[in-house]
Amino acid sequence: MPKTTKRHIAVTGGAGFIGSNLLLHLVPNHPDSLYVNIDCLTYAGNLANLQAIENADNYVFEKIDICDYNALKECFDHHGIDSVIHLAAESHVDRSITGPAEFVASNINGTFNLLELARVAHEQSREFRFHQVSTDEVFGSLGATGYFTEESRYRPNSPYSASKAAADHLVRAYHKTYGLDTVTTNCSNNYGPYQFPEKLLPLMIRNATTGKQLPVYGDGRQVRDWLYVEDHCEALELVFYEGETGETYNIGGHNEIENIELVRMLCRTLDDLLGGGPRENLIEFVKDRPGHDRRYAIDPGYIKKKLGWVPRYTFEQGLRLTIQWYLDHEEWLEGCLSGEYRRYYEMNYGKR
Ligand code: NAD
Ligand code: TYD
């Protein structure tokens, strides 16, 4: 990416799980970049996550739906946006099965709107970098062995992964056809602070600490490759600022674990920390997710070789930090489920 003294970067989905962690990382680290957080605050967006940076000189929040092209255009013009780090998406596989329409709208049409704005800038010979933040789920399911590499075929199996795959293809096409400066990252399952408690880890932590059933889908032998969110954010920072144009990078930390084993580890850790239990008794095998991918695993060799990225957290460290964070932020967890987010927005931004 060509170096400019000050970049004006739209971070879409900045109020979500990864977006919040990313902005909390980037804003203090790059005082000469302006970060414009574009988020429409769905159930998954929470501005309270960003209190530590909300008054920073190089941070602005704009409540905009990426499906609204005109609102996006006005915002891009107003802030002189010259790059996008695109995270805004509907992100939960189970929701995509019961209601795929929003996934097509936000993940495909929303990405298209952003690309169109990027194309206008590029065709006016303005520097513009577009970073598509995507998932390993676009590659579908692995068998018992092997890894996803940058060469793996796209074979998405859920409406969520299909919508992300479509968006990745549009990004690729805008690079090949229009010469837009793009980078794409495909990352494995993240865990850490601020993850909405519909996803495996925070859901299980909440249920296990409140004595509720721990619903494990199918036989629980599905494998996910877990990465601590801070490690993902460092990889995103590196790819955005230093990645090669037109390239894609797979991000993962070689942390494959079966769901059932993860839930058992979690139960044992909570028993250690809080006493009581055994919480494993709360585990219940429930009906499987339709089209459930069996195994994901990333080969992160390329990003390591090209950009020198390696994760800093072991799984044991990351898991301890994550569990402790949720134990210390019980009100955050409950707020997610009670609509507390909305009240925070009204209080802090409603009159602006
Ligand atoms: P999330 O659901 O926690 O957050 C998504 C954010 O996007 C929310 O703040 C939401 O309000 C916003 N948003 C959704 N639709 C929008 C729209 N139409 N306009 C504006 N804002 C909108 O998701 P996450 O887990 O933080 O994931 C962020 C990105 O990273 C997604 O693109 C996802 O596909 C990708 N990703 C996630 C993981 C993971 O394990 N969570 C792994 C790899 C890639
Ligand atoms: P999830 O956090 O939804 O992420 P993804 O589907 O994007 O990988 O789920 C992680 C794994 O945990 C997945 O194999 C589904 C499984 N799972 C359960 O067994 N029970 C649950 O309640 C949830 C939410 C997920």
Side-chain angles (χ1 to χ4, degrees):
M1 180 171 64
K3 298 257 182 285
T4 56
T5 44
K6 187 169 173 78
R7 297 209 69 105
H8 291 205
I9 304 160
V11 177
T12 71
F17 162 49
I18 299 174
S20 294
N21 281 286
L22 182 65
L23 282 165
L24 291 169
H25 177 83
L26 291 177
V27 168
N29 278 352
H30 299 271
D32 54 355
S33 291
L34 171 71
Y35 296 96
V36 180
N37 175 7
I38 295 180
D39 198 300
C40 71
L41 302 180
T42 67
Y43 74 94
N46 182 358
L47 288 177
N49 303 351
L50 297 160
Q51 278 173 53
I53 54 163
E54 67 187 4
N55 295 318
D57 290 340
N58 62 332
Y59 170 77
V60 187
F61 170 67
E62 293 281 5
K63 185 173 187 294
I64 293 172
D65 187 332
I66 57 166
C67 297
D68 182 346
Y69 179 86
N70 292 330
L72 274 181
K73 181 171 183 331
E74 201 176 302
C75 171
F76 274 44
D77 290 346
H78 178 72
H79 291 291
I81 296 296
D82 62 23
S83 340
V84 172
I85 305 179
H86 177 36
L87 296 107
E90 289 294 335
S91 68
H92 190 42
V93 173
D94 292 329
R95 285 180 192 255
S96 83
I97 294 168
T98 49
E102 282 171 329
F103 287 71
V104 171
S106 291
N107 300 5
I108 305 178
N109 296 337
T111 305
F112 172 66
N113 283 338
L114 291 162
L115 283 167
E116 278 293 274
L117 284 167
R119 180 164 76 92
V120 170
H122 174 70
E123 286 176 352
Q124 291 170 349
S125 302
R126 287 188 274 134
E127 243 177 54
F128 204 104
R129 165 148 279 202
F130 192 101
H131 181 161
Q132 164 73 354
V133 179
S134 190
T135 163
D136 59 355
E137 303 191 26
V138 297
F139 301 124
S141 187
L142 287 167
T145 58
Y147 295 96
F148 296 133
T149 72
E150 288 74 9
E151 308 307 318
S152 296
R153 270 177 59 190
Y154 271 46
R155 298 172 190 233
N157 292 320
S158 70
Y160 163 65
S161 54
S163 66
K164 292 295 292 185
D168 292 6
H169 288 324
L170 280 172
V171 172
R172 178 187 161 88
Y174 272 61
H175 175 72
K176 294 282 179 191
T177 306
Y178 305 114
L180 184 67
D181 175 18
T182 65
V183 282
T184 296
T185 47
N186 296 90
C187 187
S188 61
N189 285 64
N190 283 215
Y191 67 101
Y194 304 118
Q195 188 166 33
F196 195 83
E198 64 190 351
K199 304 278 168 56
L200 183 71
L201 260 168
L203 182 141
M204 294 295 175
I205 293 172
R206 182 170 183 274
N207 285 12
T209 50
T210 52
K212 295 200 179 71
Q213 167 227 40
L214 306 179
V216 172
Y217 298 166
D219 64 1
R221 306 283 312 271
Q222 303 82 6
V223 173
R224 295 293 181 266
D225 185 359
W226 296 92
L227 185 70
Y228 191 57
V229 65
E230 183 66 19
D231 281 326
H232 185 193
C233 291
E234 287 186 3
L236 293 176
E237 178 184 32
L238 206 55
V239 171
F240 174 74
Y241 283 101
E242 294 177 28
E244 196 179 318
T245 189
E247 273 297 12
T248 73
Y249 300 88
N250 284 357
I251 305 169
H254 277 307
N255 272 313
E256 286 181 57
I257 181 162
E258 288 184 350
N259 292 337
I260 184 64
E261 182 50 29
L262 179 54
V263 174
R264 289 199 175 115
M265 270 174 83
L266 182 74
C267 288
R268 287 195 294 271
T269 311
L270 286 172
D271 292 348
D272 274 357
L273 288 169
L274 303 175
R279 288 175 176 77
E280 286 192 20
N281 291 347
L282 296 170
I283 292 174
E284 228 173 281
F285 291 93
V286 298
K287 191 165 173 289
D288 208 354
R289 172 188 279 173
H292 199 170
D293 286 336
R294 197 68 182 165
R295 176 170 167 259
Y296 303 144
I298 287 266
D299 172 357
Y302 188 68
I303 187 171
K304 181 178 177 195
K305 184 168 132 211
K306 289 291 176 177
L307 299 175
W309 177 84
V310 285
R312 286 196 296 123
Y313 293 86
T314 64
F315 188 57
E316 288 66 30
Q317 287 170 331
L319 191 63
R320 280 262 166 190
L321 284 172
T322 302
I323 292 171
Q324 197 57 55
W325 190 88
Y326 285 99
L327 292 179
D328 294 342
H329 293 80
E330 202 185 315
E331 75 297 344
W332 183 92
L333 261 180
E334 295 313 314
C336 289
L337 303 162
S338 71
E340 198 53 44
Y341 285 14
R342 306 283 97 70
R343 279 193 281 285
Y344 181 85
Y345 174 77
E346 283 309 320
M347 216 168 65
N348 290 279
Y349 292 86
K351 294 192 191 72
R352 292 187 192 181

